[in-house]
Amino acid sequence: IVGQSGRRVYLASVSTTYLNVADTATDTLTGRIGPFYSNGAADSGVRPFTVNAAETLVYVNMNHFSGFEVGDVATGRKLYSTPVQGFPWQEPTVGVQSHGVALSPDEKEIWVLDSYNRYVHVFDVSGLPARPPVQIADIDVNDPADALNLPKWINFTRDGRYAQVSTGHIISAATRRIVTKLDNTRYYLQVDLQGTEPIGAYSRYGVGYGGVAAP
């Protein structure tokens, strides 16, 4: 993921428990953040992740962990480990239980996926970095027509009104209710038009836009 400033790129691999940071001007590694969760397995590593607009905090999913962790870009330290509460961890059944994490555009919430239970879990992160995340909602995205349609990716529309889940469920961020169901897809991408001309596009990785005005 390229940060909002354009000066840093954040690099993940399932083979490492660190998130690497590179300089886009020199194409060299300048730091790393972590280590994040590991149970000692060879594939303990970073899965989907995201970063806030100020590039001060990163949020990562890890193999063998249901939930997400928070890292400090400046210090390279892990700040919080946040497991999902109230839903069983059953990763061996689905491969990776938490594979999908997104910041709301205002950066007040993190939405994280749960492949085993077919849920989206919502956390209040407005108190970071001083206060830890708080789990505030759980949304059922089970697809009765397809038992293999597991939630794996998530992002938001730029205005923050809707969360888009790879199962095809489109969720109102305000009400937490599913407003429609599309075909399942890993690739949601918003493109804005002015007349017939594209004037902006937004990442599928659920990055934050706090403090960055929408066009």
Side-chain angles (χ1 to χ4, degrees), residues 2 23 30 47 54 66 71 92 105 115 117 130 137 145 153 162 167 185 193 215:
V2 177
D23 186 303
T30 57
R47 287 294 191 149
S66 179
S115 292
N117 296 293
W153 291 98
Y162 301 105
T167 51
T185 175
L193 302 177

Side-chain angles (χ1 to χ4, degrees), residues 24-144:
T24 56
T26 63
D27 296 337
T28 58
L29 292 177
T30 57
R32 62 181 187 171
I33 308 163
F36 295 105
Y37 175 84
S38 171
N39 70 347
D43 64 345
S44 289
V46 178
R47 287 294 191 149
F49 68 95
T50 193
V51 60
N52 65 352
E55 297 180 63
T56 57
L57 298 172
V58 294
Y59 304 81
V60 303
N61 289 146
M62 297 296 296
N63 257 5
H64 315 292
F65 183 75
S66 179
F68 66 99
E69 298 194 308
V70 184
D72 185 305
V73 175
T75 66
R77 294 186 301 109
K78 180 172 72 176
L79 298 179
Y80 296 104
S81 184
T82 309
V84 169
Q85 301 294 329
F87 291 79
W89 179 79
Q90 293 286 344
E91 184 206 352
T93 306
V94 296
V96 182
Q97 186 158 335
S98 289
H99 189 287
V101 61
L103 268 170
S104 58
D106 63 9
E107 301 184 356
K108 293 181 179 179
E109 294 179 351
I110 276 283
W111 291 38
V112 64
L113 301 183
D114 179 341
S115 292
Y116 176 74
N117 296 293
R118 278 73 161 179
Y119 263 79
V120 180
H121 304 293
V122 182
F123 292 80
D124 179 353
V125 294
S126 61
L128 286 174
R131 299 193 306 274
V134 178
Q135 190 170 336
I136 57 174
D138 308 287
I139 304 166
D140 187 348
V141 290
N142 179 54
D143 184 356

